[in-house]
Amino acid sequence: MQTAKEKDKFDINKIALDIIERKLDLVSIRDYLKEQFENPMWNQLFNNNYELFKKEVDLSCDKILNQEKYQTRLISPYYEQKDPKDIQAVPPELRQKVLERDGYKCVMCGSTKYPQIDHIKPFSKGGETVFDNLQTMCRKCKLRKSMLKN
Ligand SMILES: [Zn+2]
């Protein structure tokens, strides 16, 4: 049943995308999901468990809206474990501003792969999470920097 499962996952994403793109409010989301759940396919798939269905959609929305969070976790568990505050302390809007200022490029090598936010003066040494102390750095350069530091 692997193929069926994958197809359904895809469809869940479609529902999630729909919700995000149409910027539905909570009440509309509920109505929309209830309407979707009347489809026998969903009903069957989630064993008539609406809450479960809703949870899956929520999760899917979260994944779409916070791609970076999930990507970071997938690609680089190292950072999350090593110095989670360093990443998590940067609020999304600030993060966005820094990325935009640096053109989504690593300030060291110019790579656009896996851009991450780096504290110029390290967080662990009292460097603040403010616009002027943040820069965009690719995964590799950041790793190199943190290795040099230690
Ligand atoms: Zn780099």
Side-chain angles (χ1 to χ4, degrees):
M1 290 298 282
Q2 193 55 36
T3 35
K5 232 185 164 183
E6 261 163 27
K7 182 175 161 288
D8 298 326
K9 276 236 170 82
F10 171 70
D11 282 341
I12 287 267
N13 280 334
K14 247 172 71 177
I15 290 178
L17 264 179
D18 214 24
I19 289 172
I20 291 165
E21 274 168 10
R22 287 160 64 189
K23 296 197 167 75
L24 296 179
D25 58 48
L26 285 175
V27 178
S28 316
I29 289 172
R30 196 193 57 199
D31 290 347
Y32 175 72
L33 289 182
K34 288 236 157 102
E35 193 187 299
Q36 294 291 322
F37 202 60
E38 274 166 28
N39 182 330
M41 188 186 83
W42 290 125
N43 228 299
Q44 216 180 4
L45 193 87
F46 288 96
N47 245 332
N48 206 13
N49 187 338
Y50 173 75
E51 286 305 314
L52 197 65
F53 169 69
K54 196 173 162 291
K55 248 188 213 163
E56 280 291 317
V57 176
D58 277 349
L59 184 69
S60 190
C61 282
D62 191 49
K63 276 190 182 161
I64 292 166
L65 290 172
N66 300 298
Q67 272 174 10
E68 219 160 333
K69 177 175 95 187
Y70 286 90
Q71 242 175 29
T72 310
R73 186 164 301 157
L74 278 178
I75 295 164
S76 182
Y78 177 81
Y79 285 120
E80 293 233 337
Q81 281 159 19
K82 178 101 177 163
D83 206 355
K85 276 186 198 153
D86 226 296
I87 288 173
Q88 286 168 7
V90 185
E93 318 85 62
L94 184 56
R95 187 184 181 84
Q96 189 63 27
K97 271 193 203 163
V98 174
L99 286 171
E100 269 169 27
R101 180 197 61 201
D102 297 338
Y104 295 85
K105 279 188 203 136
C106 171
V107 294
M108 303 292 284
C109 72
S111 167
T112 52
K113 268 190 187 169
Y114 315 125
Q116 302 192 339
I117 303 298
D118 177 63
H119 286 70
I120 298 169
K121 181 179 178 192
F123 189 80
S124 54
K125 293 189 176 150
E128 283 182 87
T129 306
V130 292
F131 188 68
D132 288 336
N133 190 43
L134 297 172
Q135 59 187 357
T136 306
M137 225 187 236
C138 76
R139 194 163 56 112
K140 269 191 192 166
C141 290
K142 205 172 157 157
L143 189 64
R144 199 172 298 139
K145 185 182 166 186
S146 82
M147 276 158 71
L148 282 173
K149 204 169 65 187
N150 292 332

